[in-house]
Amino acid sequence: MNYNFKLLEDVLGNRITTDEFECALYSTDLAPLPGIINLLFKTTPDAVVRPETPEEISEVMKFANKNRISVTPRASATSALGGCVPTRGGIVMDMSSMDNKIEINEKERTVIVSCGVVWKKLEKVLNINGLALMTYPSSSPSATVGGWLSSPGCGVGTLKYRRVHEQVLGMEAVLPDGEIKGYSEKENHKFLGSEGTTGIITMVKLKVRELPESVSPHLLTFDSQEKFADVIQELVELKPFNISYANRAYAQMMKDVQGDNTNPDFEFRILVVFDGNKKEVAESVKKLYKIKKSGGIGVEPAELAEEEWGDRFNPMRIKRRGPTLLAGDLLVPLSRLNTVISKLGKININGLGIEGSVVSENKAIVMPMYLTDERKFMDFIFALRHLKKMNDIAVSAGGIPYGTGLWNSPYVNKILGGEGLKEKTGLKKKIDPHNILNPDKYLGAKLAIPSLVFHPKMYGLSMFLAEIAAKPLRFVGLIK
């Protein structure tokens, strides 16, 4: 369908393009899309816009609403769930130019920041002023404020300071009809974690903290999964800033990326980090020492722990291990972490890497990952079936897939819960009656054929049939 995008040139100048090559660059996110998706959705936008002010966003939304054109907000595309990939063509709104404001109030310990500012830059500016973020994403060098606030919001520091959503004191957002509106802390829930389906966040006010006087990372290793699972729960009681972990296969992948020919000499490792004033950190380290003495725990040199902590901003370097890396993203009860990891290990995948973090007193993120090759159609298509198994393992343990986007839409009822889904659906219909903003995401696909394909029962059946078909195909060597 042809739209008169020239009307937007008066607003945006050269910050709008309909060039096919440029638009094609916005047809995927961090993960590759199987070609079959292009039969279900129009993933290449008709136009890409790069607004610099809320007023420009407003004009784009008014144009889109008048012409019934879908708008897909996009930040740095650091997710792999298809949440910022268009499904109906339309307009992709690149928010990266909305990065012109960082206003710090040292007395209140707050910051007002534009949605396009990346988290690492924000942390650097805060640190210069003696302040620090409470929590931030591991993808901080590229993830933007608005992008991460639109996600579930678990990251580095969440264990101590809870999800980033709880640090938002207020915000400004542009609604689907183009209205620019401010929202209080009590109203933030309409947009936080909603994956850009109800409004476009343009500016937020965040709580921040004093820059910690001391930071103390410690790297522990384990020869047994059971010991690892027991100790990680003990560590939570010490109230550290962050706990992350990885298995041997993940560590081997990282060594391969770095060109290190040595093999990991552990089954699991934990990086636990304490921060705060010197006295507080010293007391925590003393308690950690008692846990170390319990036996069955290896302790890596302090220099290695510091290096691992310094590398927390580079988790995606593992993609270089490719050619293609697929990963699940699960939120599970901490008490069931050992069970979940054991079940994941029974999936027929060679070299399944697992890494994750503890995000609350009773919840953990688990990211199982494995290698495939998107250039080999059969291998890639059949490799995708494992992602459903991973999600099902999380659900069976009382957990959920972490995030929805497009790929996890068959699990939306599990992720949001029956009442939550009803509430969010009602809000979407009220705020966006024409389904302009990021359609087919978060609340499930609405187009006729995709809604059938991504229906939980049909999705389950197709993955079941794929599993049956995979056995003879693997036997004859057509897939791995």
Side-chain angles (χ1 to χ4, degrees):
M1 189 176 293
N2 294 319
Y3 302 105
N4 188 11
F5 290 117
K6 289 188 179 294
L7 294 174
L8 289 177
E9 290 181 6
D10 293 337
V11 178
L12 300 163
N14 62 2
R15 288 177 286 110
I16 176 173
T17 181
T18 56
D19 179 80
E20 290 184 13
F21 177 78
E22 286 190 73
C23 288
L25 298 175
Y26 290 80
S27 63
T28 186
D29 58 9
L30 193 63
L33 290 174
I36 195 170
I37 289 296
N38 292 319
L39 300 176
L40 300 175
F41 301 107
K42 184 182 178 185
T43 59
T44 300
D46 298 295
V48 176
V49 299
R50 302 178 185 89
E52 295 180 345
T53 66
E55 290 73 22
E56 289 180 349
I57 294 174
S58 173
E59 290 302 316
V60 173
M61 292 311 306
K62 289 175 182 177
F63 174 85
N65 199 49
K66 179 180 179 180
N67 292 280
R68 302 293 189 264
I69 305 170
S70 66
V71 176
T72 306
R74 180 185 177 102
S76 298
T78 54
S79 173
L81 295 174
C84 65
V85 176
T87 56
R88 308 183 185 193
I91 298 170
V92 162
M93 188 176 291
D94 184 337
M95 303 297 291
S96 59
S97 295
M98 290 284 296
D99 62 349
N100 54 4
K101 185 170 187 175
I102 299 178
E103 186 179 292
I104 298 170
N105 187 318
E106 293 182 39
K107 185 177 180 180
E108 288 186 358
R109 292 185 193 165
T110 61
V111 60
I112 297 174
V113 58
S114 300
C115 65
V117 173
V118 298
W119 288 94
K120 192 171 183 179
K121 176 184 176 182
L122 177 57
E123 175 74 343
K124 183 177 181 180
V125 173
L126 287 170
N127 290 173
I128 291 171
N129 289 273
L131 299 171
L133 291 163
M134 292 180 172
T135 183
Y136 47 81
S138 59
S139 53
S140 284
S142 55
T144 66
V145 168
W148 195 44
L149 289 177
S150 297
S151 80
C154 292
V156 178
T158 304
L159 175 58
K160 188 172 183 178
Y161 293 106
R162 306 178 70 85
R163 294 192 189 208
V164 68
H165 299 166
E166 298 184 35
Q167 295 143 33
V168 179
L169 300 174
M171 67 168 60
E172 177 187 80
V174 179
L175 301 181
D177 64 1
E179 181 183 3
I180 303 171
K181 194 172 179 181
Y183 289 89
S184 67
E185 188 174 0
K186 292 182 179 179
E187 300 173 296
N188 290 339
H189 68 278
K190 295 177 181 179
F191 309 100
L192 297 174
S194 294
E195 302 185 2
T197 58
T198 52
I200 298 176
I201 299 170
T202 57
M203 198 177 303
V204 295
K205 184 178 183 180
L206 293 171
K207 289 187 289 187
V208 295
R209 60 184 176 129
E210 281 188 24
L211 184 66
E213 183 182 16
S214 177
V215 179
S216 182
H218 302 263
L219 194 58
L220 313 179
T221 59
F222 304 84
D223 293 331
S224 141
Q225 179 182 312
E226 289 70 24
K227 182 68 175 177
F228 150 77
D230 289 341
V231 170
I232 203 168
Q233 296 196 63
E234 290 184 61
L235 293 175
V236 170
E237 296 175 8
L238 303 184
K239 302 186 185 306
F241 177 63
N242 200 65
I243 296 176
S244 57
Y245 63 89
N247 73 345
R248 177 198 290 268
Y250 178 85
Q252 185 64 63
M253 288 180 182
M254 293 302 294
K255 282 180 174 288
D256 292 344
V257 167
Q258 295 162 356
D260 185 341
N261 295 322
T262 62
N263 296 318
D265 58 356
F266 56 83
E267 289 302 318
F268 278 83
R269 73 177 180 204
I270 294 174
L271 177 66
V272 55
V273 182
F274 303 98
D275 77 352
N277 61 55
K278 290 182 179 179
K279 181 180 178 181
E280 176 188 359
V281 170
E283 289 176 354
S284 296
V285 171
K286 189 182 294 185
K287 293 176 183 177
L288 175 64
Y289 181 72
K290 292 180 180 179
I291 294 176
K292 291 177 182 178
K293 288 172 59 178
S294 66
I297 305 174
V299 181
E300 297 285 14
E303 297 79 12
L304 191 56
E306 291 281 359
E307 181 181 333
E308 194 66 29
W309 177 236
D311 278 344
R312 68 192 182 279
F313 292 132
N314 300 305
M316 286 301 104
R317 66 192 185 281
I318 198 170
K319 282 176 66 68
R320 298 200 297 269
R321 179 61 183 83
T324 304
L325 185 76
L326 292 178
D329 206 351
L330 318 172
L331 181 66
V332 304
L334 183 60
S335 61
R336 303 296 304 279
L337 180 61
N338 190 31
T339 300
V340 168
I341 291 175
S342 294
K343 288 185 176 180
L344 289 170
K346 293 177 181 178
I347 299 176
N348 191 14
I349 299 175
N350 291 326
L352 181 68
I354 294 176
E355 66 106 8
S357 60
V358 181
V359 295
S360 74
E361 295 84 354
N362 53 20
K363 297 286 185 183
I365 294 286
V366 185
M367 290 189 67
M369 55 193 70
Y370 56 104
L371 298 172
T372 183
D373 191 343
E374 62 190 283
R375 298 168 300 181
K376 298 177 181 179
F377 178 77
M378 292 287 283
D379 261 349
F380 183 54
I381 287 294
F382 278 90
L384 292 170
R385 75 189 191 281
H386 297 311
L387 296 176
K388 181 184 184 300
K389 296 178 191 175
M390 295 171 180
N391 285 339
D392 288 345
I393 288 170
V395 171
S396 70
I400 55 174
Y402 177 77
T404 307
L406 179 62
W407 291 119
N408 285 339
S409 58
Y411 294 89
V412 65
N413 198 55
K414 300 287 186 182
I415 294 170
L416 295 177
E419 285 302 314
L421 179 58
K422 183 178 179 180
E423 178 187 346
K424 294 289 186 180
T425 301
L427 178 63
K428 172 72 170 175
K429 289 180 178 178
K430 181 179 179 180
I431 291 181
D432 187 13
H434 304 300
N435 198 20
I436 298 296
L437 261 180
N438 215 8
D440 307 307
K441 318 288 178 51
Y442 188 54
L443 300 174
K446 302 303 178 185
L447 293 170
I449 296 178
S451 67
L452 178 62
V453 172
F454 283 93
H455 186 279
K457 290 184 178 179
M458 181 61 71
Y459 177 72
L461 176 61
S462 62
M463 293 298 105
F464 174 73
L465 294 175
E467 185 64 26
I468 292 175
K471 293 179 181 179
L473 290 173
R474 188 185 299 113
F475 180 77
V476 299
L478 290 179
I479 64 172
K480 292 181 180 180

